[in-house]
Each structure stands twice: as structure tokens, then as C-alpha cells.
Amino acid sequence: MKKDIILAGVGGQGILSIATIIGDAAMSRGMYIKQAEVHGMSQRGGDVHSHLRISDRPIASDLIPQGRADIVIAMEPMEALRYKAALDPQGWIVSCAQPFVNIPNYPEADAIIAEIKAFSHSILIDADAIAKEHVLPRGVNMILLGAASKVLELDVDTLAESVSRVFASKGDKVVESNVKALRLGAESAKTGCGR
């Protein structure tokens, strides 16, 4: 198994937590991982992205070649499209549907959503609405990760165990809410709330 994943979002949205959990889950299954992060602007709401490579064989480089990513997981739709060219032709976009408008010339949201929906392999999920409905204000990133589990080849139970390990120092309530968010995302991708 091999998955080359680009994680994208805006500073403070939890992209690096997603990367940590996927990496932990992959290592728990005896896989190799390599990761490269760019988060210099995260303090100011700038874009944040991470290359995460997981494989059952040793990995030479931590950077994903252009046009070779298997999945782009994005906390926000414009960031998903920013990395569309990085995807393999059979790659997947998994994105939150709610825009994070942090610039004055943010493109028309409906046009961005339409472009993602037109992509041959996409899951677009309203993680913000799910988080509000279930009173999980800090669970949007875990909801998105749950939706992405459909294409990650890491099952939800393995990811939930990683969530428990990664967030253990924050206490049982934080672990429970993040595991709940993860499972809600996985379920919504199965039932069609994600495309």
C-alpha cells in the first residue's frame, strides 16, 4: 500500500493534527512515513500545507512529485483547488464545503464548489454544519479526516486509536469529542453527505 497525501488549509484549522494522526495510524500498522510541512504563515491565517507519504515500503523523499498525489485533504475549498494540479489523474479531493474567506478577493464560493464537484473523484462535506449540529466546535478537522478515511485505506477504528494516543494528554473529554467527530465524518461520507 502507498498513499501520497497533501493536506491543505489555513493556519489554525488543524491540518497538522490531521497529519499527526494519519502518521500515527500508519506507523501503528507497521508502515513507513515521511512528512514535510509548510506553516510559516499559520499565525496570521495564511495557507498551511503538509506532504504526507505513507507506504509499506521505505520512502526515499518527503516531497510528493507534481501530478502524483493520491489524495488532497483540504479544510477549505479554495485550498483544495490550489493543489488540484498536484493530483494523480485518479487522485481524490476530500474537502470541507464551507469557505474560509480570509482575503478580500476570495473567488466566488459557488464556482469553487462546482469545480470540486465536477472533479472525477471528490468528497465534499459540510463539516462545519455537522460540527454545529453535534456541538463539536473544534471537531471540523476530525470530521474531515473521518470522511477521508473512505479513501485513505486506514480504517476508522485504527484512526480512532491514533486520536486517543495523540490527544491523550488533553484528557478524556477531548479524546471522546474528537473520536466522535471522526466517526461522524466517516458516517456522513458513507451516507452521501459527502460526495
Side-chain angles (χ1 to χ4, degrees), residues 69-107:
D70 298 299
I71 309 167
V72 170
I73 300 174
M75 289 295 299
E76 129 26 84
M78 186 177 76
E79 293 299 325
L81 292 182
R82 183 189 305 261
Y83 297 99
K84 180 179 163 186
L87 276 171
D88 179 270
Q90 296 303 309
W92 282 82
I93 291 177
V94 181
S95 178
C96 288
Q98 185 65 36
F100 184 87
V101 181
N102 61 339
I103 55 173
N105 58 343
Y106 193 95

Short mmCIF file of all heavy atoms in Angstrom, two decimals, residues 69-107:
data_model
loop_
_atom_site.label_atom_id
_atom_site.label_comp_id
_atom_site.label_asym_id
_atom_site.label_seq_id
_atom_site.Cartn_x
_atom_site.Cartn_y
_atom_site.Cartn_z
N ALA A 69 0.14 12.98 -6.36
CA ALA A 69 -0.57 12.82 -5.08
C ALA A 69 -1.80 11.94 -5.28
O ALA A 69 -2.51 12.05 -6.29
CB ALA A 69 -0.99 14.18 -4.51
N ASP A 70 -2.05 11.08 -4.32
CA ASP A 70 -3.23 10.22 -4.36
C ASP A 70 -4.45 10.93 -3.79
O ASP A 70 -5.57 10.68 -4.21
CB ASP A 70 -2.98 8.94 -3.55
CG ASP A 70 -1.84 8.13 -4.12
OD1 ASP A 70 -1.96 7.70 -5.29
OD2 ASP A 70 -0.83 7.92 -3.41
N ILE A 71 -4.22 11.82 -2.81
CA ILE A 71 -5.32 12.49 -2.13
C ILE A 71 -4.90 13.91 -1.74
O ILE A 71 -3.78 14.12 -1.28
CB ILE A 71 -5.72 11.76 -0.82
CG1 ILE A 71 -5.96 10.27 -1.05
CG2 ILE A 71 -6.95 12.40 -0.18
CD1 ILE A 71 -6.04 9.47 0.25
N VAL A 72 -5.80 14.86 -1.93
CA VAL A 72 -5.69 16.18 -1.33
C VAL A 72 -6.80 16.26 -0.29
O VAL A 72 -7.98 16.10 -0.63
CB VAL A 72 -5.83 17.32 -2.36
CG1 VAL A 72 -5.96 18.67 -1.66
CG2 VAL A 72 -4.65 17.34 -3.32
N ILE A 73 -6.43 16.48 0.96
CA ILE A 73 -7.40 16.67 2.04
C ILE A 73 -7.33 18.14 2.41
O ILE A 73 -6.27 18.61 2.84
CB ILE A 73 -7.07 15.78 3.26
CG1 ILE A 73 -7.09 14.30 2.87
CG2 ILE A 73 -8.06 16.06 4.40
CD1 ILE A 73 -6.63 13.35 3.98
N ALA A 74 -8.44 18.87 2.22
CA ALA A 74 -8.41 20.32 2.41
C ALA A 74 -9.51 20.77 3.36
O ALA A 74 -10.66 20.36 3.25
CB ALA A 74 -8.58 21.03 1.07
N MET A 75 -9.13 21.62 4.29
CA MET A 75 -10.06 22.17 5.26
C MET A 75 -10.96 23.24 4.67
O MET A 75 -11.89 23.69 5.30
CB MET A 75 -9.29 22.76 6.45
CG MET A 75 -8.64 21.75 7.35
SD MET A 75 -9.82 20.70 8.21
CE MET A 75 -10.75 21.90 9.15
N GLU A 76 -10.70 23.61 3.42
CA GLU A 76 -11.42 24.72 2.81
C GLU A 76 -11.32 24.57 1.30
O GLU A 76 -10.30 24.11 0.80
CB GLU A 76 -10.89 25.93 3.46
CG GLU A 76 -10.37 27.19 3.03
CD GLU A 76 -10.72 27.80 1.77
OE1 GLU A 76 -11.75 28.47 1.66
OE2 GLU A 76 -9.93 27.64 0.86
N PRO A 77 -12.40 24.87 0.56
CA PRO A 77 -12.44 24.52 -0.87
C PRO A 77 -11.42 25.22 -1.76
O PRO A 77 -10.90 24.59 -2.70
CB PRO A 77 -13.87 24.85 -1.29
CG PRO A 77 -14.43 25.71 -0.22
CD PRO A 77 -13.67 25.42 1.03
N MET A 78 -11.12 26.48 -1.52
CA MET A 78 -10.12 27.15 -2.37
C MET A 78 -8.75 26.49 -2.20
O MET A 78 -8.00 26.33 -3.16
CB MET A 78 -10.03 28.64 -2.06
CG MET A 78 -9.09 29.37 -3.04
SD MET A 78 -9.01 31.14 -2.76
CE MET A 78 -7.97 31.21 -1.32
N GLU A 79 -8.43 26.08 -0.98
CA GLU A 79 -7.16 25.39 -0.75
C GLU A 79 -7.14 24.03 -1.44
O GLU A 79 -6.09 23.57 -1.90
CB GLU A 79 -6.87 25.25 0.75
CG GLU A 79 -6.62 26.56 1.46
CD GLU A 79 -5.42 27.33 0.91
OE1 GLU A 79 -4.42 26.71 0.51
OE2 GLU A 79 -5.48 28.57 0.91
N ALA A 80 -8.30 23.38 -1.54
CA ALA A 80 -8.37 22.11 -2.28
C ALA A 80 -7.97 22.33 -3.73
O ALA A 80 -7.17 21.57 -4.30
CB ALA A 80 -9.77 21.51 -2.19
N LEU A 81 -8.52 23.38 -4.33
CA LEU A 81 -8.23 23.65 -5.75
C LEU A 81 -6.80 24.13 -5.96
O LEU A 81 -6.22 23.91 -7.02
CB LEU A 81 -9.22 24.67 -6.31
CG LEU A 81 -10.65 24.18 -6.44
CD1 LEU A 81 -11.53 25.26 -7.04
CD2 LEU A 81 -10.74 22.90 -7.25
N ARG A 82 -6.23 24.76 -4.97
CA ARG A 82 -4.83 25.21 -5.08
C ARG A 82 -3.90 24.03 -5.39
O ARG A 82 -2.91 24.18 -6.08
CB ARG A 82 -4.40 25.89 -3.78
CG ARG A 82 -2.98 26.45 -3.83
CD ARG A 82 -2.49 26.91 -2.46
NE ARG A 82 -3.33 27.86 -1.80
CZ ARG A 82 -3.12 29.18 -1.78
NH1 ARG A 82 -2.09 29.69 -2.41
NH2 ARG A 82 -3.94 29.97 -1.11
N TYR A 83 -4.24 22.84 -4.89
CA TYR A 83 -3.37 21.68 -5.06
C TYR A 83 -3.92 20.65 -6.05
O TYR A 83 -3.41 19.54 -6.13
CB TYR A 83 -3.10 21.03 -3.69
CG TYR A 83 -2.36 22.00 -2.80
CD1 TYR A 83 -3.03 22.75 -1.85
CD2 TYR A 83 -1.00 22.23 -2.99
CE1 TYR A 83 -2.35 23.69 -1.08
CE2 TYR A 83 -0.32 23.16 -2.23
CZ TYR A 83 -1.01 23.89 -1.28
OH TYR A 83 -0.34 24.82 -0.53
N LYS A 84 -4.92 21.04 -6.82
CA LYS A 84 -5.52 20.14 -7.80
C LYS A 84 -4.49 19.62 -8.80
O LYS A 84 -4.48 18.45 -9.16
CB LYS A 84 -6.65 20.89 -8.53
CG LYS A 84 -7.37 20.10 -9.56
CD LYS A 84 -8.48 20.94 -10.17
CE LYS A 84 -8.94 20.36 -11.47
NZ LYS A 84 -9.91 21.21 -12.15
N ALA A 85 -3.58 20.48 -9.24
CA ALA A 85 -2.55 20.07 -10.22
C ALA A 85 -1.56 19.07 -9.63
O ALA A 85 -0.88 18.36 -10.37
CB ALA A 85 -1.81 21.29 -10.74
N ALA A 86 -1.49 18.98 -8.32
CA ALA A 86 -0.58 18.03 -7.67
C ALA A 86 -1.10 16.60 -7.73
O ALA A 86 -0.36 15.65 -7.50
CB ALA A 86 -0.35 18.44 -6.22
N LEU A 87 -2.40 16.45 -8.04
CA LEU A 87 -3.03 15.14 -8.00
C LEU A 87 -2.71 14.27 -9.21
O LEU A 87 -2.64 14.75 -10.34
CB LEU A 87 -4.55 15.29 -7.93
CG LEU A 87 -5.16 15.51 -6.58
CD1 LEU A 87 -6.63 15.88 -6.72
CD2 LEU A 87 -5.00 14.31 -5.68
N ASP A 88 -2.61 12.99 -8.95
CA ASP A 88 -2.59 11.97 -9.99
C ASP A 88 -3.96 12.02 -10.69
O ASP A 88 -4.95 12.36 -10.05
CB ASP A 88 -2.37 10.61 -9.31
CG ASP A 88 -2.36 9.47 -10.30
OD1 ASP A 88 -3.45 8.90 -10.56
OD2 ASP A 88 -1.27 9.15 -10.79
N PRO A 89 -4.05 11.65 -11.97
CA PRO A 89 -5.35 11.68 -12.65
C PRO A 89 -6.44 10.85 -11.94
O PRO A 89 -7.62 11.15 -12.06
CB PRO A 89 -5.04 11.10 -14.03
CG PRO A 89 -3.60 11.44 -14.26
CD PRO A 89 -2.96 11.35 -12.90
N GLN A 90 -6.04 9.82 -11.20
CA GLN A 90 -7.01 9.02 -10.45
C GLN A 90 -7.10 9.43 -8.97
O GLN A 90 -7.72 8.74 -8.18
CB GLN A 90 -6.65 7.53 -10.55
CG GLN A 90 -6.72 6.99 -11.96
CD GLN A 90 -8.11 7.19 -12.57
OE1 GLN A 90 -9.12 6.85 -11.97
NE2 GLN A 90 -8.16 7.78 -13.75
N GLY A 91 -6.49 10.56 -8.63
CA GLY A 91 -6.46 11.02 -7.25
C GLY A 91 -7.80 11.57 -6.77
O GLY A 91 -8.70 11.85 -7.57
N TRP A 92 -7.91 11.75 -5.46
CA TRP A 92 -9.12 12.22 -4.81
C TRP A 92 -8.92 13.58 -4.16
O TRP A 92 -7.87 13.84 -3.58
CB TRP A 92 -9.51 11.24 -3.69
CG TRP A 92 -10.17 10.00 -4.17
CD1 TRP A 92 -9.57 8.88 -4.67
CD2 TRP A 92 -11.57 9.74 -4.20
NE1 TRP A 92 -10.50 7.95 -5.00
CE2 TRP A 92 -11.75 8.44 -4.72
CE3 TRP A 92 -12.69 10.48 -3.82
CZ2 TRP A 92 -13.00 7.86 -4.88
CZ3 TRP A 92 -13.94 9.90 -3.98
CH2 TRP A 92 -14.09 8.61 -4.50
N ILE A 93 -9.96 14.41 -4.23
CA ILE A 93 -10.06 15.62 -3.42
C ILE A 93 -11.08 15.33 -2.33
O ILE A 93 -12.20 14.91 -2.61
CB ILE A 93 -10.51 16.85 -4.23
CG1 ILE A 93 -9.42 17.28 -5.21
CG2 ILE A 93 -10.88 18.00 -3.29
CD1 ILE A 93 -9.82 18.43 -6.10
N VAL A 94 -10.69 15.55 -1.08
CA VAL A 94 -11.60 15.44 0.07
C VAL A 94 -11.55 16.81 0.73
O VAL A 94 -10.51 17.22 1.23
CB VAL A 94 -11.17 14.33 1.05
CG1 VAL A 94 -12.17 14.24 2.20
CG2 VAL A 94 -11.04 12.99 0.34
N SER A 95 -12.69 17.53 0.72
CA SER A 95 -12.66 18.91 1.19
C SER A 95 -13.90 19.27 1.99
O SER A 95 -15.00 18.76 1.75
CB SER A 95 -12.56 19.86 -0.02
OG SER A 95 -12.57 21.21 0.39
N CYS A 96 -13.69 20.19 2.93
CA CYS A 96 -14.82 20.86 3.58
C CYS A 96 -15.48 21.76 2.54
O CYS A 96 -14.80 22.33 1.68
CB CYS A 96 -14.35 21.71 4.75
SG CYS A 96 -13.80 20.76 6.18
N ALA A 97 -16.78 21.91 2.64
CA ALA A 97 -17.52 22.73 1.68
C ALA A 97 -17.55 24.20 2.08
O ALA A 97 -17.71 25.08 1.23
CB ALA A 97 -18.95 22.21 1.54
N GLN A 98 -17.38 24.50 3.35
CA GLN A 98 -17.51 25.87 3.85
C GLN A 98 -16.23 26.66 3.58
O GLN A 98 -15.16 26.31 4.08
CB GLN A 98 -17.79 25.85 5.35
CG GLN A 98 -18.07 27.20 5.95
CD GLN A 98 -19.35 27.82 5.42
OE1 GLN A 98 -20.32 27.14 5.16
NE2 GLN A 98 -19.33 29.12 5.25
N PRO A 99 -16.31 27.74 2.79
CA PRO A 99 -15.13 28.57 2.55
C PRO A 99 -14.66 29.28 3.82
O PRO A 99 -15.46 29.61 4.69
CB PRO A 99 -15.59 29.60 1.52
CG PRO A 99 -16.85 29.08 0.95
CD PRO A 99 -17.47 28.21 2.02
N PHE A 100 -13.37 29.51 3.90
CA PHE A 100 -12.78 30.34 4.95
C PHE A 100 -12.29 31.60 4.25
O PHE A 100 -11.22 31.62 3.66
CB PHE A 100 -11.62 29.59 5.62
CG PHE A 100 -11.01 30.34 6.78
CD1 PHE A 100 -11.54 30.21 8.05
CD2 PHE A 100 -9.92 31.17 6.59
CE1 PHE A 100 -10.97 30.90 9.12
CE2 PHE A 100 -9.35 31.86 7.64
CZ PHE A 100 -9.88 31.72 8.91
N VAL A 101 -13.13 32.62 4.26
CA VAL A 101 -12.85 33.83 3.50
C VAL A 101 -11.92 34.72 4.32
O VAL A 101 -12.35 35.42 5.22
CB VAL A 101 -14.15 34.57 3.13
CG1 VAL A 101 -13.84 35.82 2.31
CG2 VAL A 101 -15.09 33.65 2.37
N ASN A 102 -10.63 34.67 3.96
CA ASN A 102 -9.63 35.42 4.71
C ASN A 102 -8.88 36.43 3.85
O ASN A 102 -7.92 37.03 4.29
CB ASN A 102 -8.64 34.46 5.38
CG ASN A 102 -7.89 33.62 4.37
OD1 ASN A 102 -8.32 33.44 3.24
ND2 ASN A 102 -6.74 33.09 4.78
N ILE A 103 -9.35 36.59 2.61
CA ILE A 103 -8.75 37.57 1.71
C ILE A 103 -9.87 38.35 1.02
O ILE A 103 -10.96 37.83 0.83
CB ILE A 103 -7.84 36.89 0.64
CG1 ILE A 103 -8.61 35.81 -0.12
CG2 ILE A 103 -6.59 36.31 1.29
CD1 ILE A 103 -7.86 35.20 -1.29
N PRO A 104 -9.62 39.62 0.67
CA PRO A 104 -10.69 40.44 0.09
C PRO A 104 -11.16 39.97 -1.29
O PRO A 104 -12.31 40.17 -1.66
CB PRO A 104 -10.08 41.84 0.02
CG PRO A 104 -8.61 41.66 0.18
CD PRO A 104 -8.39 40.37 0.89
N ASN A 105 -10.30 39.34 -2.06
CA ASN A 105 -10.67 38.91 -3.42
C ASN A 105 -10.92 37.40 -3.49
O ASN A 105 -10.61 36.76 -4.49
CB ASN A 105 -9.61 39.34 -4.42
CG ASN A 105 -8.23 38.78 -4.09
OD1 ASN A 105 -7.98 38.33 -2.98
ND2 ASN A 105 -7.34 38.80 -5.07
N TYR A 106 -11.49 36.84 -2.42
CA TYR A 106 -11.79 35.41 -2.40
C TYR A 106 -12.72 35.10 -3.58
O TYR A 106 -13.70 35.81 -3.80
CB TYR A 106 -12.47 35.03 -1.09
CG TYR A 106 -12.54 33.55 -0.85
CD1 TYR A 106 -11.58 32.89 -0.11
CD2 TYR A 106 -13.58 32.78 -1.39
CE1 TYR A 106 -11.64 31.51 0.10
CE2 TYR A 106 -13.65 31.42 -1.19
CZ TYR A 106 -12.67 30.79 -0.45
OH TYR A 106 -12.74 29.43 -0.26
N PRO A 107 -12.42 34.05 -4.35
CA PRO A 107 -13.26 33.73 -5.51
C PRO A 107 -14.70 33.39 -5.11
O PRO A 107 -14.98 33.06 -3.96
CB PRO A 107 -12.57 32.49 -6.11
CG PRO A 107 -11.21 32.49 -5.55
CD PRO A 107 -11.28 33.16 -4.21
#
